[in-house]
Amino acid sequence: MDALRATASAASSTIDLDRVVNWDVGDDIAVSATAYFTSTGEDAMAEDATEVHGIASITTITDGAEQYSRITTESALDYTHFCETAHGENFCGAVGRLSSNVRFVSTDQDDPSDTSFGYGANIHVFDIPDNSRYGFVNFANVEFKGFGKINSDHYAVAIKYRDQNHPASFIVNCSFNQGYNMAVRAAGSVNLTFANNVATGNYGGGVFIERDNALFTIAGNLIVGSYMLPSNLLSSFPYTNPIASFVIYSGDGEVYDNVAAGSQDNGFAVSASLLKVSSALAASACSVTLASAYSYTLADLQAENKFRSNEAVGCRSGLMVLNLGPSESVASDCAVVTDFMAWRSGHIGIVALDAEAGILLANVLLAENHIGVSLDFFKDDVNVFTGIVASTIIGSLGTDLFSSCADLSDSLYTRGGQCQAFTESDPFGTSSSCKSTVSAVYRRVGVLLPQWTNRARTCAVEGRFECQTSPAYPD
């Protein structure tokens, strides 16, 4: 995964990267969307603003002491892909290489008129029951094209083990190109590494780590253009079954240096268990100080955090913090998000549902989201801690670049217009008028003050009935 060096404009065929890469003419690359709305105010996902292009030429450019790669694409870009410095912060789209010398291509699945449309190949990794034979995979530098079966549990790679005695699995430097289900969904694994991969155009999300995985590493991946499942969109209330580019239900692993771009729903959906720090640090980090001064050491918070340095751009929401059940967290727990970046979200940058732990945001960067932060707590008393420290929240990127309150020309959003908020009257979040609680007054809000109730809103916490899909399903 690499970043743009400069904005790549619509109708141009030139893409400058931030470093020198060893890619080849003829390779396919994915260029991420850098806004949820296009220059005409349309949903970027509906317009396929994440683009895939072939490389016509690639050269190394020397600029003083710096060198970088300049790519000429085989066809012109349809959309602008943003890379600028605003308010002293860098906001740049990502580029990932899809081509590889080792390719698995599923054929006859990409023609909508064919009965096999969306019915791609899939790989199942499993243990043989009543046998000592354990499954594992070791994929490196492999391209999987057209994998996964739509509206099913047949993912491109499905890992499901009966116990944790199997060898480690590695999926590294691979690409999942225009798939029809998640790239990887894992259950019961130990020491799974999913690193430096690129996935584009997947339905139902990108990576899904179930609660019973342990010692996993999800690092350096680019997941672009994650679509909601068609079966979900045909339901009356699709927002009750959220998806994400990265879904992490287990707290026993690490997630860092990943980018989610152009997701039709969430960039990251993460269990609070992954964010919790030690009880010793929690006592100070999530301490309700009342009239006393609050103090913290950023390095201490960063040292313990297993979810760090991740980025979401152009998603409906950047990060959703989930409570997977009443036993997952207690009031004395402290969930810390550090070094997270969410920009140009259609709805919310960071959102929490039925949180029981205190939540501290440290060194986060939020920009041009309809709502920057909105946290919802489930508490039986008023002992609620919410903190935002050492962070930057920006309303519009255009205010710094052009000294104007108007947004930049590559992404159009107007107050009271489309904001991608799910409501009962607009279950798809596609109304031409924004149904957000703040839209009548504000175009954007940095922090929506936390809410807490003594009754849970989600099925996982309230527990009146079994969650059929997501733990965030309304109770």
Side-chain angles (χ1 to χ4, degrees):
M1 172 179 60
D2 292 273
L4 294 172
R5 177 184 173 89
T7 294
S9 301
S12 170
S13 299
T14 300
I15 297 174
D16 288 346
L17 301 180
D18 66 346
R19 68 181 184 96
V20 175
V21 297
N22 186 28
W23 297 350
D24 298 317
V25 171
D27 284 351
D28 285 337
I29 58 172
V31 189
S32 75
T34 51
Y36 200 91
F37 301 108
T38 68
S39 60
T40 57
E42 301 297 323
D43 181 338
M45 283 297 296
E47 298 295 312
D48 292 326
T50 290
E51 302 188 58
V52 175
H53 289 273
I55 297 177
S57 67
I58 182 167
T59 56
T60 298
I61 305 296
T62 300
D63 183 6
E66 297 183 4
Q67 288 188 318
Y68 61 92
S69 289
R70 173 167 290 170
I71 291 172
T72 302
T73 54
E74 294 175 347
S75 56
L77 298 170
D78 294 320
Y79 298 92
T80 293
H81 301 268
F82 188 80
C83 181
E84 302 286 350
T85 299
H87 303 275
E89 304 286 353
N90 293 324
F91 299 89
C92 291
V95 181
R97 183 190 187 198
L98 295 172
S99 298
S100 178
N101 290 331
V102 180
R103 304 180 72 213
F104 291 96
V105 180
S106 182
T107 59
D108 301 326
Q109 88 297 328
D110 56 354
D111 182 359
S113 64
D114 195 286
T115 56
S116 61
F117 173 72
Y119 203 75
N122 57 278
I123 297 172
H124 284 262
V125 186
F126 56 92
D127 301 329
I128 298 178
D130 303 319
N131 194 296
S132 60
R133 297 174 66 182
Y134 292 92
F136 67 97
V137 294
N138 190 347
F139 291 125
N141 303 301
V142 178
E143 177 185 355
F144 302 91
K145 186 169 184 179
F147 268 55
K149 293 176 173 57
I150 206 164
N151 293 331
S152 75
D153 59 356
H154 296 282
Y155 317 108
V157 178
I159 300 174
K160 189 170 185 178
Y161 297 129
R162 71 174 188 268
D163 58 43
Q164 296 185 336
N165 294 322
H166 50 80
S169 288
F170 298 88
I171 303 175
V172 180
N173 294 323
C174 295
S175 70
F176 297 82
N177 190 354
Q178 303 299 316
Y180 292 92
N181 211 314
M182 300 176 196
V184 173
R185 183 161 182 165
S189 74
V190 175
N191 290 314
L192 167 65
T193 297
F194 186 83
N196 302 319
N197 302 291
V198 178
T200 181
N202 296 83
Y203 286 84
V207 180
F208 199 123
I209 303 298
E210 298 277 11
R211 297 180 74 170
D212 56 358
N213 291 276
L215 303 177
F216 59 87
T217 299
I218 310 297
N221 302 289
L222 171 62
I223 309 293
V224 294
S226 298
Y227 294 91
M228 297 183 77
L229 289 169
S231 58
N232 195 33
L233 292 174
L234 290 173
S235 65
S236 299
F237 299 98
Y239 70 91
T240 59
N241 185 23
I243 68 150
S245 298
F246 295 86
V247 177
I248 312 295
Y249 283 176
S250 171
D252 190 8
E254 291 190 300
V255 181
Y256 58 90
D257 295 339
N258 301 286
V259 174
S263 171
Q264 200 167 16
D265 202 352
N266 301 288
F268 297 82
V270 175
S271 163
S273 63
L274 184 70
L275 308 176
K276 290 192 294 187
V277 296
S278 65
S279 57
L281 182 57
S284 60
C286 284
S287 173
V288 178
T289 60
L290 299 179
S292 301
Y294 177 80
S295 64
Y296 68 97
T297 302
L298 182 59
D300 291 342
L301 301 174
Q302 293 170 321
E304 285 203 15
N305 207 333
K306 296 175 287 187
F307 179 84
R308 61 190 183 275
S309 302
N310 296 295
E311 176 183 349
V313 53
C315 305
R316 189 186 296 267
S317 291
L319 167 63
M320 175 184 286
V321 180
L322 296 170
N323 187 348
L324 300 187
S327 62
E328 182 183 64
S329 300
V330 296
S332 59
D333 287 333
C334 182
V336 179
V337 177
T338 66
D339 309 306
F340 180 73
M341 180 177 181
W343 53 294
R344 288 185 159 181
S345 302
H347 193 197
I348 303 174
I350 299 177
V351 59
L353 297 176
D354 279 351
E356 294 183 86
I359 295 179
L360 176 64
L361 309 181
N363 198 37
V364 302
L365 174 59
L366 305 173
E368 216 167 277
N369 307 293
H370 175 59
I371 298 172
V373 179
S374 178
L375 307 178
D376 173 78
F377 290 87
F378 166 59
K379 297 280 189 177
D380 56 8
D381 57 45
V382 294
N383 182 26
V384 178
F385 176 89
T386 305
I388 303 175
V389 298
S391 298
T392 301
I393 301 177
I394 301 169
S396 173
L397 298 178
T399 57
D400 181 64
L401 293 173
F402 296 106
S403 299
S404 168
C405 287
D407 290 340
L408 301 177
S409 60
D410 66 305
S411 178
L412 176 65
Y413 174 75
T414 55
R415 181 172 65 84
Q418 192 178 30
C419 69
Q420 298 299 300
F422 291 125
T423 65
E424 185 175 359
S425 61
D426 181 22
F428 292 94
T430 57
S431 173
S432 59
S433 61
C434 179
K435 303 299 182 181
S436 164
T437 55
V438 301
S439 64
V441 182
Y442 302 106
R443 181 172 60 164
R444 296 194 177 96
V445 170
V447 178
L448 195 62
L449 290 180
Q451 309 170 63
W452 66 89
T453 63
N454 60 3
R455 184 185 181 281
R457 299 169 58 184
T458 61
C459 61
V461 181
E462 185 65 17
R464 292 192 304 167
F465 55 87
E466 183 179 355
C467 296
Q468 298 299 314
T469 52
S470 166
Y473 196 95
D475 181 79

